Amino acid sequence: MMSESFVVVSVIGLLLSLLSLLLISKPQQQMVYSRLSSWAPFTSHHRHNPSSKTPPRSLSPGKKPPGNVPPPADYKDIFPPWRREALSIARKDLCLDPVTEVPDFLVREHLIPFTADYRTCKSPSSTYTPMGISLSEVASLGDFTDYAELSGVPLPEPYQDFNLDTALPRPYRPLRWGYHQTMALNRLQPDWWLEVEKTYVERIKERKHLFSTNGNMVLDYLPGSELGCKEVMEMALQFLCARYPQYFSLCESEDHGYVFHNGILHNQTVIRDMHPLHVLLENVPEDFAVMIRNPEDGYYYFRAGILCSSLGWSVKSKLGMQLKEIHSPIPDYKEKMEFSMDRYFAKLPTSRPIQRGSWGLEVDTPLFMPPGDPHEKLRESQLPEAELPLSRIHLRVDWQTLRRLPLSGAIIFNFKALFTPVEEFREEPYIPALLTTILHHGKPSIMAYKNTWHVEHVVLPALQRWMKEQEERGLVPRGWDVGTLQEAPFFPGWEEVWRGRQGF
């Protein structure tokens, strides 16, 4: 009797709660829902529909995931945050109602197919991208639309002090201790998405040569990536024009459409005559990987890219893979990062691009090292010190950014390889001690993956000498507790040093 009364009371309470929710205003409903969603990150008004291709989020009764690994998640009905309200601002001539809403179920049922070219889809007015934008709306926006408004990320400020002859990249030192494998994400500063430096001409020439000799190992694309490739190319060129107006400009003509003028290379690119990735190859010395959401499972796949800076892999070896497949060689990825990365990709808003860095130690400055490259032989042994002077050893940093595109919903990885002679660490406070600690005590599997052993016999003695020097000079307090620096990914006083080296 007591249990029956409890059930009746519970049902009445639930009905009253639902009635209360219906009676409050829509903004209040959204506020309540938002709070519930923040309490339960994977609770969604989207209906879950597990299939043989999308494993259910919950395990069978009585079964538990091994260790701390979360159960597989179903992302098929989870979409990134939409910014439809920005459409009418980006192109005022669209005459769109800024509060026009598109029901989630309509988008879910009429998503653009995974391999479809957005330009040739039938029924463009009723076919949608994962951002809730119809293909007819995409077409109405035209070329080089206001991506800053659409994404919520402002264009950069003009770089007034920039001098191409002396320009250096910022001195990234993404060294962390206690070291363990995490995403280590930081919010991107809009002014520093892409960096031009004094090696610009040399790097563009080197990358074009790499493509001419390696072809689809460094540049390729699959069906369905057309809109994502167009977006990232247009956003990159808009960035360069805003950040370095003294060197880059974009104009539109009746005969040629949009033309990009490159004042460093003294040439121009007719945009419509070239695939977007080739436009990037010709003008932007950074790598781009286009990750597309598959509507069948909600996961992200590598569908297009230009990658001239990869070590041990290539576009050809990874193209078409899911995110977890790309990262399978990384220690602890499956156990500690896979679930977080998949969830992060599913929910990343366009307005929150992030940055991070990975690092290694290299002999000389190898930019592109596919499997089997002769340079790999240097990693298999420790050369005699007579053949390996300290001057040949460099810190390689792959400085990476991650952002969602506002129309296609694709996620863009982009990065560039930066090389710093380790001899510069002598004047960088704390860096010798921090790197020494990582090399001595880092987790064996992670250090094996970084493959620093082949130079440690030369690097470590120098680092230890510089540690003592820095203590004696008062640059570092004696006996400091080694840890990640507050200035990470830089070092104390980095900006003064960096500006001084450029003659500011």
Side-chain angles (χ1 to χ4, degrees):
M1 187 69 179
M2 179 68 71
S3 60
E4 292 178 0
S5 300
F6 177 77
V7 171
V8 171
V9 171
S10 298
V11 171
I12 292 174
L14 178 60
L15 291 173
L16 289 173
S17 298
L18 292 173
L19 181 60
S20 300
L21 186 59
L22 291 172
L23 290 175
I24 63 177
S25 66
K26 188 171 183 179
Q28 290 173 316
Q29 292 178 26
Q30 292 174 340
M31 181 181 70
V32 171
Y33 178 75
S34 175
R35 290 179 178 176
L36 289 172
S37 297
S38 65
W39 171 74
F42 284 99
T43 300
S44 173
H45 57 290
H46 302 306
R47 177 175 58 86
H48 292 291
N49 182 26
S51 68
S52 59
K53 295 183 180 179
T54 55
R57 288 186 55 234
S58 58
L59 298 176
S60 302
K63 292 185 179 180
K64 295 182 179 180
N68 294 321
V69 180
D74 180 5
Y75 296 105
K76 184 176 181 180
D77 291 336
I78 297 179
F79 292 91
W82 296 350
R83 286 179 53 86
R84 283 190 54 79
E85 71 280 0
L87 284 174
S88 57
I89 303 174
R91 284 290 298 273
K92 295 180 175 58
D93 56 325
L94 283 179
C95 298
L96 290 175
D97 182 348
V99 295
T100 296
E101 295 184 3
V102 178
D104 291 5
F105 75 87
L106 192 63
V107 174
R108 186 164 58 245
E109 293 175 3
H110 298 282
L111 277 172
I112 181 173
F114 188 44
T115 59
D117 185 336
Y118 76 103
R119 299 167 295 187
T120 58
C121 279
K122 297 179 180 180
S123 305
S125 62
S126 58
T127 303
Y128 295 87
T129 75
M131 300 304 292
I133 299 174
S134 72
L135 298 187
S136 61
E137 290 170 332
V138 170
S140 298
L141 287 168
D143 299 327
F144 292 94
T145 187
D146 188 349
Y147 288 108
E149 185 63 48
L150 289 171
S151 66
V153 179
L155 283 171
E157 295 294 324
Y159 193 171
Q160 302 291 357
D161 294 334
F162 181 77
N163 181 343
L164 181 64
D165 295 332
T166 60
L168 296 172
R170 295 195 295 177
Y172 298 104
R173 306 289 183 262
L175 304 172
R176 294 176 287 124
W177 186 259
Y179 193 85
H180 54 278
Q181 197 70 297
T182 67
M183 291 189 288
L185 306 179
N186 298 289
R187 190 161 187 171
L188 174 67
Q189 296 172 282
D191 285 354
W192 297 100
W193 178 34
L194 308 174
E195 291 185 63
V196 172
E197 46 167 303
K198 65 181 182 180
T199 62
Y200 176 88
V201 174
E202 175 188 341
R203 275 285 185 255
I204 291 291
K205 181 179 179 180
E206 182 179 11
R207 291 164 64 84
K208 290 171 67 174
H209 173 72
L210 284 170
F211 174 69
S212 68
T213 55
N214 294 281
N216 65 359
M217 292 185 71
V218 299
L219 189 157
D220 205 358
Y221 41 89
L222 296 176
S225 64
E226 292 83 5
L227 181 55
C229 290
K230 176 180 183 289
E231 276 183 280
V232 68
M233 177 272 293
E234 292 182 346
M235 292 174 70
L237 297 192
Q238 284 182 343
F239 179 95
L240 291 181
C241 293
R243 184 63 167 160
Y244 308 99
Q246 63 272 54
Y247 290 108
F248 304 108
S249 62
L250 190 67
C251 67
E252 186 177 12
S253 71
E254 293 184 4
D255 296 333
H256 302 291
Y258 280 96
V259 179
F260 180 70
H261 297 270
N262 190 320
I264 298 178
L265 300 178
H266 306 290
N267 62 20
Q268 59 186 29
T269 302
V270 178
I271 301 301
R272 69 186 185 192
D273 291 347
M274 195 177 291
H275 187 278
L277 294 185
H278 284 277
V279 175
L280 292 173
L281 175 68
E282 297 279 336
N283 295 283
V284 185
E286 302 205 15
D287 288 350
F288 299 87
V290 183
M291 306 291 294
I292 304 291
R293 182 186 185 275
N294 188 338
E296 294 297 319
D297 56 20
Y299 287 92
Y300 285 76
Y301 292 76
F302 176 33
R303 299 293 292 177
I306 170 174
L307 298 167
C308 298
S309 310
S310 55
L311 297 181
W313 62 284
S314 67
V315 170
K316 184 178 181 180
S317 68
K318 300 286 188 179
L319 195 64
M321 288 187 177
Q322 190 181 322
L323 188 64
K324 67 179 181 181
E325 297 172 318
I326 295 172
H327 292 93
S328 60
I330 298 178
D332 298 336
Y333 182 84
K334 181 174 180 59
E335 296 79 9
K336 296 184 178 180
M337 297 174 65
E338 180 181 317
F339 178 78
S340 297
M341 285 289 283
D342 287 335
R343 180 176 59 182
Y344 192 82
F345 267 57
K347 297 189 172 188
L348 176 66
T350 61
S351 60
R352 294 187 65 85
I354 58 90
Q355 60 185 2
R356 68 177 300 274
S358 63
W359 63 273
L361 296 175
E362 299 292 344
V363 177
D364 302 325
T365 57
L367 185 64
F368 178 62
M369 192 193 305
D373 188 272
H375 199 92
E376 280 189 324
K377 293 289 184 183
L378 294 175
R379 295 181 165 201
E380 297 176 0
S381 62
Q382 290 185 330
L383 293 176
E385 294 184 35
E387 299 178 29
L388 185 61
L390 191 61
S391 60
R392 289 188 63 189
I393 302 175
H394 296 75
L395 174 76
R396 172 181 166 133
V397 170
D398 289 323
W399 193 246
Q400 308 161 358
T401 70
L402 184 73
R403 68 187 305 164
R404 187 183 298 281
L405 303 182
L407 299 179
S408 64
I411 288 182
I412 300 299
F413 267 122
N414 92 275
F415 67 93
K416 70 183 303 181
L418 302 169
F419 295 92
T420 302
V422 296
E423 290 174 319
E424 291 188 9
F425 296 166
R426 185 174 189 172
E427 301 300 323
E428 298 180 0
Y430 300 93
I431 296 300
L434 184 52
L435 184 54
T436 296
T437 300
I438 295 171
L439 294 178
H440 270 311
H441 305 294
K443 186 175 181 179
S445 61
I446 295 176
M447 300 315 298
Y449 176 75
K450 286 188 174 295
N451 207 352
T452 58
W453 169 81
H454 65 301
V455 297
E456 289 180 7
H457 63 301
V458 176
V459 170
L460 278 170
L463 292 175
Q464 290 165 345
R465 289 197 306 271
W466 300 336
M467 285 171 52
K468 294 180 180 178
E469 281 184 14
Q470 290 188 354
E471 289 184 353
E472 292 168 356
R473 295 164 58 190
L475 296 177
V476 173
R478 294 183 183 275
W480 77 286
D481 188 11
V482 177
T484 302
L485 300 176
Q486 290 184 348
E487 295 82 359
F490 305 108
F491 54 88
W494 71 271
E495 191 166 7
E496 182 179 356
V497 173
W498 172 67
R499 292 178 67 84
R501 287 174 179 169
Q502 297 176 86
F504 293 160

